[in-house]
Amino acid sequence: MASNTMLSLASTSASPLLSLQDTLKTKLKLTSSNHTSFLGKGKSVPFTNTKTFGRITMAVAVKVSRFESITMAPPDPILGVSEAFRADTNEMKLNLGVGAYRTEELQPYVLNVVKKAENLMLERGENKEYLPIEGLAAFNKVTAELLFGADNPVIQQQRVATVQGLSGTGSLRLAAALIERYFPGAKVLISSPTWGNHKNIFNDAGVPWSEYRYYGPKTVGLDFDGMISDIKAAPEGSFVLLHGRAHNPTGIDPTPEQWEIIADVIQEKNLIPFFDVAYQGFASGSLDADASSVRLFAARGMELLVAQSYSKNLGLYAERIGAINVICSTAEAATRVKSQLKRLARPMYSNPPIHGARIVANVVGDPL
């Protein structure tokens, strides 16, 4: 019986293997035709690759990422140095990246006053409820007073709109969004050179910018004439980004007399000063001295923007604590500006973190 079956198979097909191949080919053709009819004539089958095994061709599904066209971004020129430092296994390595407080053993150092403020928070048993969009009221109060002085008329007249931001970077970004929305087409003048993230912030906010001369390589100092000339050439209504103290990255600051001239030109040309204050008290050791440039412009009755950061002076790098301040000509205008800053912050990050804000409120708000 078995031999008859074998003879029957032999008589109906020259080879069982060939029959299997023909069957597979037929199925593959049907699959291909089904794909073609589904996709339409002339369209290729997505995520499909073919592989040949001897005389058998099979279709193999290959899933291609929808993000295939996204290229690798270059490392951040500032934070990338710290990443490279952490990855390096050499015992003699030295971190030349972000400046931060360190112990003699090069370990991160937390200021004692910060530890005391945190202990006070624990003793009080403070909760972790959401902050309002504008941030912690006590923080906003003391941070504006620290910047302008508690007895400054702009504080007394309630002409400052202060909103807690995500350190200096987030505060600058919030200000950039305000410029893009309410001063369309206005340009921001940035010093050459400047902190590497300034250009990224304005680029991503869709705010045009140009550079003014600042560093003079021949004198290894401030190119004051070039700076004044470029500011004078700026279109009316432009914003001029100024470093309040400890210019980053040069460390070169205008003298008090030069600040007066800079203020004269900005006022005469009807430009808007925009300060980045990242090192108050950290540069000279005096909180008041490091805020003198900002207070000079405020004393002239000028409307201006000031972004603040507590990363350096209190070592609160990871807390991301800062603020954006807008001095307006009237209290009513300040109220409206604050409402719009809150409106811009809401879809960005909703509301800011509370821990760092409480630390600053406790430290700056306690005269002892």
Side-chain angles (χ1 to χ4, degrees):
M1 188 70 179
S3 60
N4 291 338
T5 303
M6 292 180 66
L7 286 172
S8 175
L9 284 170
S11 63
T12 56
S13 175
S15 169
L17 180 59
L18 289 178
S19 295
L20 176 61
Q21 290 175 348
D22 291 339
T23 303
L24 285 171
K25 285 180 180 179
T26 302
K27 288 185 177 181
L28 288 173
K29 285 179 181 179
L30 287 171
T31 303
S32 178
S33 63
N34 288 340
H35 277 302
T36 303
S37 62
F38 175 74
L39 293 169
K41 187 177 180 180
K43 294 186 178 180
S44 60
V45 182
F47 314 135
T48 303
N49 192 10
T50 58
K51 292 187 178 182
T52 302
F53 301 93
R55 294 175 61 187
I56 303 175
T57 302
M58 300 183 68
V60 181
V62 179
K63 190 171 184 179
V64 179
S65 172
R66 295 181 184 273
F67 306 103
E68 195 68 26
S69 61
I70 296 179
T71 59
M72 179 67 71
D76 185 273
I78 300 173
L79 298 179
V81 175
S82 297
E83 293 174 4
F85 172 80
R86 286 190 289 270
D88 195 330
T89 57
N90 193 314
E91 294 182 357
M92 301 299 292
K93 65 183 180 180
L94 181 65
N95 190 351
L96 299 178
V98 177
Y101 290 113
R102 289 287 185 270
T103 65
E104 291 295 333
E105 295 74 33
L106 301 181
Q107 296 303 309
Y109 179 75
V110 179
L111 299 180
N112 288 330
V113 69
V114 171
K115 292 179 180 178
K116 289 180 180 178
E118 289 184 311
N119 287 333
L120 181 61
M121 291 159 58
L122 289 173
E123 291 173 7
R124 290 174 178 171
E126 293 173 328
N127 60 48
K128 301 294 183 181
E129 290 295 306
Y130 284 121
L131 280 178
I133 300 173
E134 67 267 31
L136 185 69
F139 166 82
N140 288 342
K141 179 179 182 297
V142 300
T143 201
E145 291 176 351
L146 184 72
L147 182 62
F148 299 107
D151 58 350
N152 195 306
V154 299
I155 298 288
Q156 301 299 320
Q157 297 165 11
Q158 299 182 335
R159 294 195 288 113
V160 184
T162 301
V163 171
Q164 181 184 334
L166 304 182
S167 198
T169 301
S171 301
L172 286 162
R173 183 64 179 80
L174 195 56
L178 184 74
I179 293 171
E180 191 276 334
R181 180 166 296 185
Y182 295 102
F183 301 86
K187 181 182 291 187
V188 176
L189 273 70
I190 302 172
S191 68
S192 177
T194 192
W195 177 51
N197 215 18
H198 279 149
K199 296 176 183 179
N200 295 334
I201 290 167
F202 294 111
N203 281 339
D204 279 12
V207 176
W209 56 268
S210 64
E211 294 179 309
Y212 61 84
R213 283 168 283 179
Y214 193 87
Y215 176 71
K218 291 183 179 180
T219 62
V220 192
L222 177 64
D223 181 1
F224 186 67
D225 291 339
M227 177 183 184
I228 293 299
S229 178
D230 290 343
I231 292 176
K232 283 183 176 180
E236 182 177 334
S238 297
F239 291 78
V240 183
L241 186 64
L242 303 162
H243 299 226
R245 192 67 181 265
H247 180 273
N248 186 354
T250 68
I252 300 166
D253 295 319
T255 64
E257 295 75 21
Q258 288 173 329
W259 273 119
E260 292 279 0
I261 297 172
I262 294 168
D264 287 340
V265 173
I266 289 177
Q267 204 163 16
E268 290 167 5
K269 294 292 296 182
N270 198 24
L271 308 176
I272 306 170
F274 183 177
F275 282 91
D276 184 358
V277 177
Y279 302 97
Q280 187 180 355
F282 193 83
S284 68
S286 167
L287 291 165
D288 292 327
D290 288 353
S292 59
S293 58
V294 175
R295 295 178 186 182
L296 166 67
F297 282 68
R300 288 180 172 227
M302 301 173 70
E303 293 185 307
L304 62 144
L305 286 72
V306 188
Q308 286 173 279
S309 169
Y310 286 97
S311 292
K312 299 295 188 297
N313 51 16
L314 282 178
L316 298 175
Y317 315 101
E319 299 297 347
R320 312 312 299 145
I321 181 66
I324 179 64
N325 305 267
V326 183
I327 293 185
C328 304
S329 58
T330 66
E332 292 77 13
T335 300
R336 294 194 300 272
V337 168
K338 186 171 184 177
S339 73
Q340 292 299 336
L341 286 170
K342 290 164 60 177
R343 183 182 180 186
L344 291 165
R346 174 60 172 156
M348 278 191 193
Y349 54 86
S350 189
N351 52 351
I354 196 169
H355 192 81
R358 281 180 173 155
I359 292 173
V360 173
N362 288 336
V363 173
V364 179
D366 186 346
L368 301 178

